[in-house]
Structure formats: structure tokens, C-alpha cells
Amino acid sequence: ISLIKISFDLSRWVHHWVTWDNDTIDDFSVCKDFRNNYWLYCVASNERRGGVNAKLYRSSNYGRSWDSQTGYDVFDPHIILGTGPNLHLTWVPPTRDIIYYERNNNYGAPGSWLPTYNLDSSASNKYCPKVSPAFTSPDSWATTWVVYEVDYGNTGDYDIRYAVRSHAWGDTWQKRRNLSIATLLDERVPDL
């Protein structure tokens, strides 16, 4: 994965590597935080091999160099910053039967990942989770939404489900909610 920075007038292009090695990268997600000297974040995974196949990359110098942390066995990663230092991450495992959510409360620093939540462990395959927190301070009070695609009963009928967490409910998740479930149409690849 490489980063290309382009000047506003398109006169200058600068290339920086995020990662390079002999590993395949099938899927990745990127975001930045909202500090004046913003950091960049990237989660990349190799969906062609098992085991620990993903890494989180962070850059504190606008993409010139990147540190990395080993992740999990991750498919379809999605990462986004909320308010303050909170990094939100969703993914599915290779079995595609669970939607996972995790939050880091210190700009992706190792040791700052909070407990992982299982948002849907029904038998249906799941794809493309997207997470979006409300921009409410403090971030722990922000309502957090996760939408994802589900192959209903693995029949080829694709629907959209969501999970939502709110401080108003004592920071509990409302899980496996149907957003769009028409049986004659396939609802695919949601986004927030």
C-alpha cells in the first residue's frame, strides 16, 4: 500500500510507502484523526491466508513513515476516528459468521484496545461492516453505529443489518437490527 500526496494545483506528487513486503493485501481501510498535526491510520489484511493476517499502521508525520502492530485474523476491516483519541474498528473473521467491534482510546496505541464486542453471531455470513461514531464529546457518550451486509440464512438473499450503542442505554449495544431486508432485492455493501 502506498500513499500519494498531491498538491492542490496538481503540480507536485509525493509517494510514500505504507507497507511493502511479499505479503498479499486483499483489503484495507484508512482514516485520519482531527488534531492539527493529524495522524494517519491504516488496517490492512491478507484474506488469502489464515492466522494473524492483519496489521494496524500509524503515521505521525503525514505518511512519510509508518509504525505497525500485529492484528487478528481479519476480513473486511473498517477503521475510523471518533472524537478525541478514540479509534473505532470493525471486522469479520474468516468464517464470516460474526461481526466484531473494538475501540482504542489512545490513537491506536498498543495496550489501549478496549474489550472486543460480538455484534452478530447468527449463522448467516456477514460482509463489509462499516462503523461510524457520532461526534459527541466525550467519545464514550457518542452513539456508535455499525452497518453490515448479511447473506440471510446463506441463501443468497443479501440484506443490511445494524447494531447501535448509546450512552442513553448504559453503553449497551442493540444488536442484529434489520435496516433493509427486501426478499426480492439484494442490499449490498452499506456505508455510513
Side-chain angles (χ1 to χ4, degrees), residues 91-149:
W91 76 93
V92 296
T95 53
R96 295 211 171 269
D97 58 346
I98 301 172
I99 294 290
Y100 285 116
Y101 165 85
E102 195 169 12
R103 181 168 62 100
N104 183 297
N105 63 3
N106 189 16
Y107 298 105
S112 297
W113 290 98
L114 302 175
T116 303
Y117 288 93
N118 174 339
L119 301 182
D120 187 345
S121 58
S122 63
S124 299
N125 286 345
K126 293 146 198 83
Y127 304 88
C128 304
K130 303 293 184 200
V131 59
S132 184
F135 287 93
T136 304
S137 291
D139 189 74
S140 61
W141 287 36
T143 300
T144 305
W145 296 83
V146 175
V147 295
Y148 55 96
E149 177 183 316

Short mmCIF file of all heavy atoms in Angstrom, two decimals, residues 91-149:
data_model
loop_
_atom_site.label_atom_id
_atom_site.label_comp_id
_atom_site.label_asym_id
_atom_site.label_seq_id
_atom_site.Cartn_x
_atom_site.Cartn_y
_atom_site.Cartn_z
N TRP A 91 -14.74 -5.63 11.94
CA TRP A 91 -14.26 -6.64 11.01
C TRP A 91 -15.09 -7.91 11.16
O TRP A 91 -15.88 -8.04 12.09
CB TRP A 91 -12.78 -6.94 11.23
CG TRP A 91 -12.47 -7.79 12.42
CD1 TRP A 91 -12.34 -9.15 12.45
CD2 TRP A 91 -12.24 -7.36 13.77
NE1 TRP A 91 -12.05 -9.57 13.72
CE2 TRP A 91 -11.99 -8.49 14.55
CE3 TRP A 91 -12.24 -6.11 14.38
CZ2 TRP A 91 -11.74 -8.42 15.91
CZ3 TRP A 91 -12.00 -6.04 15.74
CH2 TRP A 91 -11.73 -7.18 16.49
N VAL A 92 -14.89 -8.85 10.23
CA VAL A 92 -15.45 -10.19 10.33
C VAL A 92 -14.29 -11.18 10.34
O VAL A 92 -13.25 -10.91 9.74
CB VAL A 92 -16.43 -10.51 9.18
CG1 VAL A 92 -17.64 -9.59 9.22
CG2 VAL A 92 -15.77 -10.46 7.84
N PRO A 93 -14.45 -12.33 11.01
CA PRO A 93 -13.41 -13.36 10.95
C PRO A 93 -13.52 -14.14 9.63
O PRO A 93 -14.51 -13.99 8.90
CB PRO A 93 -13.74 -14.25 12.15
CG PRO A 93 -15.22 -14.13 12.29
CD PRO A 93 -15.55 -12.71 11.90
N PRO A 94 -12.55 -14.99 9.32
CA PRO A 94 -12.59 -15.75 8.06
C PRO A 94 -13.84 -16.63 7.93
O PRO A 94 -14.27 -16.91 6.81
CB PRO A 94 -11.34 -16.61 8.12
CG PRO A 94 -10.43 -15.89 9.05
CD PRO A 94 -11.30 -15.19 10.04
N THR A 95 -14.43 -17.05 9.02
CA THR A 95 -15.64 -17.87 8.97
C THR A 95 -16.85 -17.04 8.56
O THR A 95 -17.89 -17.59 8.21
CB THR A 95 -15.92 -18.50 10.34
OG1 THR A 95 -15.94 -17.46 11.33
CG2 THR A 95 -14.86 -19.53 10.69
N ARG A 96 -16.73 -15.72 8.61
CA ARG A 96 -17.76 -14.74 8.21
C ARG A 96 -19.05 -14.86 9.02
O ARG A 96 -20.09 -14.39 8.59
CB ARG A 96 -18.05 -14.84 6.73
CG ARG A 96 -16.88 -14.47 5.86
CD ARG A 96 -17.32 -13.86 4.56
NE ARG A 96 -16.20 -13.31 3.82
CZ ARG A 96 -15.78 -12.05 3.92
NH1 ARG A 96 -16.37 -11.22 4.72
NH2 ARG A 96 -14.75 -11.63 3.21
N ASP A 97 -19.01 -15.47 10.19
CA ASP A 97 -20.23 -15.68 10.96
C ASP A 97 -20.40 -14.69 12.12
O ASP A 97 -21.39 -14.77 12.84
CB ASP A 97 -20.28 -17.12 11.50
CG ASP A 97 -19.08 -17.47 12.36
OD1 ASP A 97 -18.08 -16.71 12.36
OD2 ASP A 97 -19.13 -18.50 13.04
N ILE A 98 -19.47 -13.75 12.30
CA ILE A 98 -19.53 -12.81 13.42
C ILE A 98 -19.14 -11.42 12.93
O ILE A 98 -18.27 -11.27 12.08
CB ILE A 98 -18.58 -13.24 14.57
CG1 ILE A 98 -18.94 -14.63 15.07
CG2 ILE A 98 -18.60 -12.25 15.72
CD1 ILE A 98 -17.95 -15.21 16.06
N ILE A 99 -19.78 -10.41 13.50
CA ILE A 99 -19.36 -9.02 13.31
C ILE A 99 -18.69 -8.60 14.62
O ILE A 99 -19.30 -8.68 15.69
CB ILE A 99 -20.56 -8.09 13.02
CG1 ILE A 99 -21.21 -8.44 11.68
CG2 ILE A 99 -20.13 -6.62 13.06
CD1 ILE A 99 -20.38 -8.11 10.47
N TYR A 100 -17.44 -8.15 14.53
CA TYR A 100 -16.70 -7.69 15.70
C TYR A 100 -16.55 -6.17 15.67
O TYR A 100 -16.41 -5.57 14.61
CB TYR A 100 -15.31 -8.32 15.76
CG TYR A 100 -15.30 -9.76 16.20
CD1 TYR A 100 -14.87 -10.76 15.33
CD2 TYR A 100 -15.70 -10.13 17.47
CE1 TYR A 100 -14.84 -12.08 15.72
CE2 TYR A 100 -15.68 -11.45 17.88
CZ TYR A 100 -15.25 -12.42 16.99
OH TYR A 100 -15.23 -13.74 17.39
N TYR A 101 -16.51 -5.60 16.88
CA TYR A 101 -16.26 -4.16 17.06
C TYR A 101 -15.27 -4.01 18.20
O TYR A 101 -15.36 -4.70 19.22
CB TYR A 101 -17.55 -3.42 17.42
CG TYR A 101 -17.29 -2.04 17.97
CD1 TYR A 101 -17.11 -0.95 17.12
CD2 TYR A 101 -17.20 -1.81 19.33
CE1 TYR A 101 -16.85 0.31 17.61
CE2 TYR A 101 -16.94 -0.55 19.84
CZ TYR A 101 -16.77 0.50 18.99
OH TYR A 101 -16.49 1.75 19.48
N GLU A 102 -14.32 -3.09 18.03
CA GLU A 102 -13.35 -2.81 19.08
C GLU A 102 -12.99 -1.33 19.02
O GLU A 102 -13.00 -0.72 17.95
CB GLU A 102 -12.11 -3.67 18.88
CG GLU A 102 -11.20 -3.72 20.08
CD GLU A 102 -10.13 -4.78 19.96
OE1 GLU A 102 -9.94 -5.33 18.86
OE2 GLU A 102 -9.45 -5.03 20.96
N ARG A 103 -12.66 -0.76 20.18
CA ARG A 103 -12.30 0.66 20.26
C ARG A 103 -10.97 0.80 20.98
O ARG A 103 -10.70 0.11 21.96
CB ARG A 103 -13.39 1.43 21.00
CG ARG A 103 -13.12 2.92 21.12
CD ARG A 103 -14.35 3.67 21.60
NE ARG A 103 -14.80 3.28 22.91
CZ ARG A 103 -14.55 3.96 24.04
NH1 ARG A 103 -13.85 5.08 24.00
NH2 ARG A 103 -15.02 3.54 25.18
N ASN A 104 -10.15 1.70 20.47
CA ASN A 104 -8.89 2.05 21.11
C ASN A 104 -9.03 3.48 21.60
O ASN A 104 -9.42 4.37 20.84
CB ASN A 104 -7.73 1.94 20.10
CG ASN A 104 -6.39 2.23 20.71
OD1 ASN A 104 -6.13 3.32 21.19
ND2 ASN A 104 -5.51 1.23 20.69
N ASN A 105 -8.72 3.74 22.87
CA ASN A 105 -8.92 5.07 23.42
C ASN A 105 -7.65 5.91 23.50
O ASN A 105 -7.58 6.87 24.25
CB ASN A 105 -9.60 4.99 24.79
CG ASN A 105 -8.77 4.25 25.82
OD1 ASN A 105 -7.64 3.85 25.54
ND2 ASN A 105 -9.32 4.07 27.00
N ASN A 106 -6.62 5.55 22.70
CA ASN A 106 -5.39 6.32 22.70
C ASN A 106 -4.73 6.31 21.32
O ASN A 106 -3.61 5.86 21.17
CB ASN A 106 -4.42 5.78 23.77
CG ASN A 106 -3.22 6.67 23.95
OD1 ASN A 106 -3.20 7.83 23.52
ND2 ASN A 106 -2.19 6.14 24.58
N TYR A 107 -5.44 6.78 20.31
CA TYR A 107 -4.89 6.94 18.96
C TYR A 107 -4.25 5.66 18.42
O TYR A 107 -3.24 5.70 17.74
CB TYR A 107 -3.89 8.09 18.91
CG TYR A 107 -4.49 9.43 19.24
CD1 TYR A 107 -4.25 10.03 20.47
CD2 TYR A 107 -5.31 10.09 18.33
CE1 TYR A 107 -4.81 11.26 20.79
CE2 TYR A 107 -5.87 11.32 18.64
CZ TYR A 107 -5.61 11.90 19.86
OH TYR A 107 -6.17 13.12 20.17
N GLY A 108 -4.81 4.51 18.75
CA GLY A 108 -4.31 3.25 18.22
C GLY A 108 -3.09 2.70 18.93
O GLY A 108 -2.45 1.76 18.44
N ALA A 109 -2.73 3.25 20.08
CA ALA A 109 -1.53 2.79 20.80
C ALA A 109 -1.71 1.36 21.30
O ALA A 109 -2.79 0.98 21.74
CB ALA A 109 -1.24 3.72 21.99
N PRO A 110 -0.64 0.57 21.26
CA PRO A 110 -0.72 -0.78 21.80
C PRO A 110 -1.12 -0.73 23.28
O PRO A 110 -0.76 0.19 24.00
CB PRO A 110 0.71 -1.32 21.66
CG PRO A 110 1.34 -0.45 20.63
CD PRO A 110 0.68 0.89 20.73
N GLY A 111 -1.90 -1.69 23.73
CA GLY A 111 -2.32 -1.74 25.12
C GLY A 111 -3.51 -0.85 25.43
O GLY A 111 -3.96 -0.80 26.57
N SER A 112 -4.02 -0.13 24.44
CA SER A 112 -5.15 0.78 24.67
C SER A 112 -6.44 0.29 24.01
O SER A 112 -7.40 1.04 23.88
CB SER A 112 -4.82 2.18 24.16
OG SER A 112 -3.72 2.71 24.88
N TRP A 113 -6.44 -0.97 23.57
CA TRP A 113 -7.64 -1.53 22.96
C TRP A 113 -8.56 -2.00 24.07
O TRP A 113 -8.17 -2.73 24.96
CB TRP A 113 -7.28 -2.68 22.02
CG TRP A 113 -6.59 -2.18 20.78
CD1 TRP A 113 -5.25 -2.15 20.56
CD2 TRP A 113 -7.20 -1.60 19.64
NE1 TRP A 113 -4.98 -1.59 19.33
CE2 TRP A 113 -6.17 -1.25 18.75
CE3 TRP A 113 -8.52 -1.35 19.27
CZ2 TRP A 113 -6.42 -0.67 17.51
CZ3 TRP A 113 -8.76 -0.77 18.04
CH2 TRP A 113 -7.72 -0.43 17.17
N LEU A 114 -9.82 -1.57 23.99
CA LEU A 114 -10.83 -1.94 24.97
C LEU A 114 -11.44 -3.29 24.56
O LEU A 114 -11.14 -3.80 23.49
CB LEU A 114 -11.87 -0.83 25.06
CG LEU A 114 -11.27 0.54 25.45
CD1 LEU A 114 -12.34 1.62 25.42
CD2 LEU A 114 -10.60 0.48 26.80
N PRO A 115 -12.31 -3.87 25.39
CA PRO A 115 -12.84 -5.21 25.06
C PRO A 115 -13.51 -5.28 23.69
O PRO A 115 -14.13 -4.32 23.23
CB PRO A 115 -13.87 -5.45 26.18
CG PRO A 115 -13.40 -4.62 27.31
CD PRO A 115 -12.78 -3.40 26.69
N THR A 116 -13.38 -6.42 23.06
CA THR A 116 -14.00 -6.68 21.76
C THR A 116 -15.45 -7.08 21.97
O THR A 116 -15.75 -7.86 22.86
CB THR A 116 -13.23 -7.80 21.04
OG1 THR A 116 -11.86 -7.41 20.91
CG2 THR A 116 -13.82 -8.07 19.67
N TYR A 117 -16.33 -6.55 21.12
CA TYR A 117 -17.75 -6.88 21.19
C TYR A 117 -18.15 -7.73 19.99
O TYR A 117 -17.76 -7.44 18.86
CB TYR A 117 -18.61 -5.61 21.19
CG TYR A 117 -18.53 -4.85 22.48
CD1 TYR A 117 -17.61 -3.84 22.65
CD2 TYR A 117 -19.38 -5.16 23.55
CE1 TYR A 117 -17.53 -3.14 23.84
CE2 TYR A 117 -19.31 -4.47 24.74
CZ TYR A 117 -18.38 -3.46 24.88
OH TYR A 117 -18.30 -2.77 26.06
N ASN A 118 -18.95 -8.75 20.24
CA ASN A 118 -19.55 -9.57 19.22
C ASN A 118 -20.93 -8.96 18.95
O ASN A 118 -21.80 -8.98 19.81
CB ASN A 118 -19.68 -11.01 19.73
CG ASN A 118 -20.44 -11.91 18.80
OD1 ASN A 118 -21.20 -11.47 17.96
ND2 ASN A 118 -20.24 -13.21 18.98
N LEU A 119 -21.12 -8.38 17.77
CA LEU A 119 -22.36 -7.68 17.45
C LEU A 119 -23.39 -8.55 16.74
O LEU A 119 -24.57 -8.21 16.71
CB LEU A 119 -22.07 -6.44 16.61
CG LEU A 119 -21.15 -5.41 17.26
CD1 LEU A 119 -20.99 -4.22 16.34
CD2 LEU A 119 -21.64 -5.00 18.63
N ASP A 120 -22.96 -9.64 16.14
CA ASP A 120 -23.90 -10.55 15.48
C ASP A 120 -23.19 -11.87 15.25
O ASP A 120 -22.22 -11.93 14.50
CB ASP A 120 -24.38 -9.96 14.15
CG ASP A 120 -25.49 -10.78 13.50
OD1 ASP A 120 -25.71 -11.94 13.90
OD2 ASP A 120 -26.13 -10.24 12.57
N SER A 121 -23.67 -12.92 15.89
CA SER A 121 -23.07 -14.24 15.70
C SER A 121 -24.11 -15.23 15.16
O SER A 121 -24.04 -16.41 15.44
CB SER A 121 -22.46 -14.75 17.00
OG SER A 121 -23.44 -14.80 18.01
N SER A 122 -25.05 -14.73 14.38
CA SER A 122 -26.02 -15.62 13.74
C SER A 122 -25.31 -16.47 12.69
O SER A 122 -24.19 -16.17 12.29
CB SER A 122 -27.15 -14.81 13.11
OG SER A 122 -26.64 -13.98 12.10
N ALA A 123 -25.96 -17.52 12.23
CA ALA A 123 -25.33 -18.46 11.31
C ALA A 123 -25.09 -17.88 9.92
O ALA A 123 -24.31 -18.42 9.15
CB ALA A 123 -26.18 -19.72 11.21
N SER A 124 -25.73 -16.78 9.57
CA SER A 124 -25.60 -16.20 8.24
C SER A 124 -24.22 -15.57 8.05
O SER A 124 -23.67 -14.98 8.97
CB SER A 124 -26.67 -15.13 8.04
OG SER A 124 -27.97 -15.69 8.14
N ASN A 125 -23.68 -15.66 6.83
CA ASN A 125 -22.42 -15.00 6.51
C ASN A 125 -22.60 -13.49 6.53
O ASN A 125 -23.65 -12.98 6.15
CB ASN A 125 -21.90 -15.44 5.15
CG ASN A 125 -21.35 -16.84 5.16
OD1 ASN A 125 -21.08 -17.41 6.22
ND2 ASN A 125 -21.18 -17.42 4.00
N LYS A 126 -21.55 -12.77 6.94
CA LYS A 126 -21.59 -11.33 7.03
C LYS A 126 -20.42 -10.71 6.28
O LYS A 126 -19.35 -11.29 6.22
CB LYS A 126 -21.57 -10.89 8.49
CG LYS A 126 -22.84 -11.30 9.23
CD LYS A 126 -22.52 -11.63 10.67
CE LYS A 126 -23.62 -12.44 11.28
NZ LYS A 126 -23.52 -13.86 10.99
N TYR A 127 -20.65 -9.50 5.75
CA TYR A 127 -19.64 -8.84 4.92
C TYR A 127 -19.66 -7.33 5.17
O TYR A 127 -20.66 -6.75 5.56
CB TYR A 127 -19.94 -9.08 3.43
CG TYR A 127 -20.03 -10.53 3.04
CD1 TYR A 127 -21.24 -11.21 3.12
CD2 TYR A 127 -18.91 -11.23 2.63
CE1 TYR A 127 -21.33 -12.54 2.78
CE2 TYR A 127 -18.99 -12.57 2.28
CZ TYR A 127 -20.20 -13.22 2.35
OH TYR A 127 -20.30 -14.55 2.02
N CYS A 128 -18.54 -6.70 4.88
CA CYS A 128 -18.41 -5.24 4.74
C CYS A 128 -18.96 -4.42 5.91
O CYS A 128 -19.72 -3.47 5.70
CB CYS A 128 -19.07 -4.77 3.46
SG CYS A 128 -18.47 -5.58 1.99
N PRO A 129 -18.58 -4.70 7.15
CA PRO A 129 -19.07 -3.84 8.23
C PRO A 129 -18.46 -2.44 8.13
O PRO A 129 -17.30 -2.28 7.76
CB PRO A 129 -18.60 -4.55 9.50
CG PRO A 129 -17.39 -5.32 9.08
CD PRO A 129 -17.65 -5.73 7.65
N LYS A 130 -19.26 -1.44 8.44
CA LYS A 130 -18.81 -0.05 8.48
C LYS A 130 -19.22 0.52 9.82
O LYS A 130 -20.34 0.34 10.26
CB LYS A 130 -19.46 0.79 7.37
CG LYS A 130 -19.21 0.27 5.98
CD LYS A 130 -17.78 0.38 5.58
CE LYS A 130 -17.62 -0.08 4.13
NZ LYS A 130 -16.26 -0.43 3.80
N VAL A 131 -18.31 1.24 10.45
CA VAL A 131 -18.58 1.84 11.76
C VAL A 131 -18.57 3.35 11.63
O VAL A 131 -17.79 3.91 10.85
CB VAL A 131 -17.56 1.36 12.82
CG1 VAL A 131 -16.13 1.71 12.44
CG2 VAL A 131 -17.90 1.90 14.20
N SER A 132 -19.44 4.00 12.40
CA SER A 132 -19.48 5.46 12.42
C SER A 132 -19.94 5.94 13.79
O SER A 132 -21.08 5.68 14.17
CB SER A 132 -20.41 5.99 11.34
OG SER A 132 -20.36 7.39 11.30
N PRO A 133 -19.07 6.63 14.53
CA PRO A 133 -19.48 7.21 15.79
C PRO A 133 -20.03 8.62 15.58
O PRO A 133 -19.62 9.32 14.65
CB PRO A 133 -18.18 7.27 16.58
CG PRO A 133 -17.13 7.47 15.53
CD PRO A 133 -17.62 6.74 14.30
N ALA A 134 -20.97 9.01 16.42
CA ALA A 134 -21.42 10.40 16.41
C ALA A 134 -20.28 11.25 16.97
O ALA A 134 -19.48 10.80 17.78
CB ALA A 134 -22.66 10.56 17.27
N PHE A 135 -20.19 12.50 16.54
CA PHE A 135 -19.13 13.37 17.02
C PHE A 135 -19.62 14.13 18.25
O PHE A 135 -19.83 15.34 18.22
CB PHE A 135 -18.64 14.29 15.91
CG PHE A 135 -17.81 13.53 14.92
CD1 PHE A 135 -18.38 12.98 13.78
CD2 PHE A 135 -16.47 13.32 15.16
CE1 PHE A 135 -17.63 12.25 12.90
CE2 PHE A 135 -15.70 12.58 14.28
CZ PHE A 135 -16.28 12.04 13.14
N THR A 136 -19.78 13.37 19.33
CA THR A 136 -20.23 13.87 20.61
C THR A 136 -19.07 13.74 21.59
O THR A 136 -18.39 12.72 21.59
CB THR A 136 -21.43 13.05 21.13
OG1 THR A 136 -22.44 13.08 20.14
CG2 THR A 136 -21.96 13.58 22.43
N SER A 137 -18.85 14.73 22.41
CA SER A 137 -17.79 14.64 23.43
C SER A 137 -18.43 14.47 24.79
O SER A 137 -19.44 15.11 25.08
CB SER A 137 -16.93 15.90 23.42
OG SER A 137 -16.17 15.95 22.24
N PRO A 138 -17.89 13.62 25.63
CA PRO A 138 -16.76 12.72 25.35
C PRO A 138 -17.19 11.58 24.45
O PRO A 138 -18.36 11.24 24.36
CB PRO A 138 -16.38 12.20 26.73
CG PRO A 138 -17.64 12.22 27.51
CD PRO A 138 -18.41 13.42 27.00
N ASP A 139 -16.21 10.96 23.80
CA ASP A 139 -16.48 9.90 22.84
C ASP A 139 -17.21 8.73 23.49
O ASP A 139 -17.99 8.06 22.84
CB ASP A 139 -15.18 9.42 22.21
CG ASP A 139 -15.44 8.47 21.05
OD1 ASP A 139 -15.84 8.97 19.98
OD2 ASP A 139 -15.27 7.25 21.22
N SER A 140 -16.97 8.49 24.76
CA SER A 140 -17.65 7.37 25.43
C SER A 140 -19.16 7.58 25.47
O SER A 140 -19.91 6.63 25.65
CB SER A 140 -17.10 7.19 26.85
OG SER A 140 -17.32 8.37 27.61
N TRP A 141 -19.64 8.82 25.28
CA TRP A 141 -21.07 9.11 25.25
C TRP A 141 -21.63 9.10 23.84
O TRP A 141 -22.83 9.16 23.64
CB TRP A 141 -21.33 10.47 25.89
CG TRP A 141 -21.20 10.50 27.37
CD1 TRP A 141 -20.31 9.83 28.15
CD2 TRP A 141 -22.00 11.25 28.26
NE1 TRP A 141 -20.49 10.11 29.45
CE2 TRP A 141 -21.54 11.01 29.56
CE3 TRP A 141 -23.07 12.12 28.09
CZ2 TRP A 141 -22.10 11.58 30.68
CZ3 TRP A 141 -23.62 12.70 29.21
CH2 TRP A 141 -23.14 12.43 30.50
N ALA A 142 -20.76 9.07 22.85
CA ALA A 142 -21.21 9.16 21.46
C ALA A 142 -21.93 7.89 21.03
O ALA A 142 -21.47 6.78 21.27
CB ALA A 142 -20.01 9.40 20.54
N THR A 143 -23.05 8.07 20.39
CA THR A 143 -23.75 6.94 19.79
C THR A 143 -22.87 6.39 18.68
O THR A 143 -22.29 7.13 17.90
CB THR A 143 -25.11 7.38 19.24
OG1 THR A 143 -25.88 7.91 20.32
CG2 THR A 143 -25.84 6.24 18.58
N THR A 144 -22.74 5.06 18.62
CA THR A 144 -21.90 4.41 17.63
C THR A 144 -22.76 3.45 16.81
O THR A 144 -23.49 2.63 17.38
CB THR A 144 -20.75 3.64 18.30
OG1 THR A 144 -20.03 4.54 19.14
CG2 THR A 144 -19.82 3.03 17.28
N TRP A 145 -22.66 3.57 15.49
CA TRP A 145 -23.43 2.73 14.58
C TRP A 145 -22.48 1.79 13.83
O TRP A 145 -21.39 2.19 13.43
CB TRP A 145 -24.14 3.59 13.53
CG TRP A 145 -25.16 4.52 14.08
CD1 TRP A 145 -24.94 5.76 14.62
CD2 TRP A 145 -26.55 4.28 14.18
NE1 TRP A 145 -26.13 6.30 15.03
CE2 TRP A 145 -27.14 5.42 14.78
CE3 TRP A 145 -27.38 3.21 13.82
CZ2 TRP A 145 -28.50 5.51 15.01
CZ3 TRP A 145 -28.74 3.31 14.05
CH2 TRP A 145 -29.28 4.45 14.64
N VAL A 146 -22.93 0.57 13.60
CA VAL A 146 -22.24 -0.38 12.73
C VAL A 146 -23.29 -0.95 11.77
O VAL A 146 -24.31 -1.47 12.23
CB VAL A 146 -21.57 -1.52 13.53
CG1 VAL A 146 -20.97 -2.56 12.58
CG2 VAL A 146 -20.51 -0.98 14.47
N VAL A 147 -23.07 -0.80 10.48
CA VAL A 147 -23.95 -1.41 9.48
C VAL A 147 -23.14 -2.48 8.74
O VAL A 147 -21.92 -2.37 8.62
CB VAL A 147 -24.53 -0.39 8.47
CG1 VAL A 147 -25.43 0.60 9.17
CG2 VAL A 147 -23.44 0.33 7.71
N TYR A 148 -23.83 -3.51 8.26
CA TYR A 148 -23.14 -4.59 7.57
C TYR A 148 -24.11 -5.35 6.68
O TYR A 148 -25.32 -5.28 6.84
CB TYR A 148 -22.46 -5.53 8.57
CG TYR A 148 -23.38 -6.09 9.63
CD1 TYR A 148 -23.96 -7.35 9.49
CD2 TYR A 148 -23.66 -5.37 10.78
CE1 TYR A 148 -24.80 -7.85 10.46
CE2 TYR A 148 -24.50 -5.88 11.77
CZ TYR A 148 -25.07 -7.12 11.59
OH TYR A 148 -25.90 -7.63 12.56
N GLU A 149 -23.52 -6.08 5.76
CA GLU A 149 -24.26 -6.90 4.82
C GLU A 149 -24.36 -8.31 5.39
O GLU A 149 -23.39 -8.84 5.94
CB GLU A 149 -23.46 -6.90 3.52
CG GLU A 149 -23.96 -7.71 2.40
CD GLU A 149 -22.99 -7.64 1.22
OE1 GLU A 149 -22.52 -6.53 0.88
OE2 GLU A 149 -22.71 -8.69 0.65
#
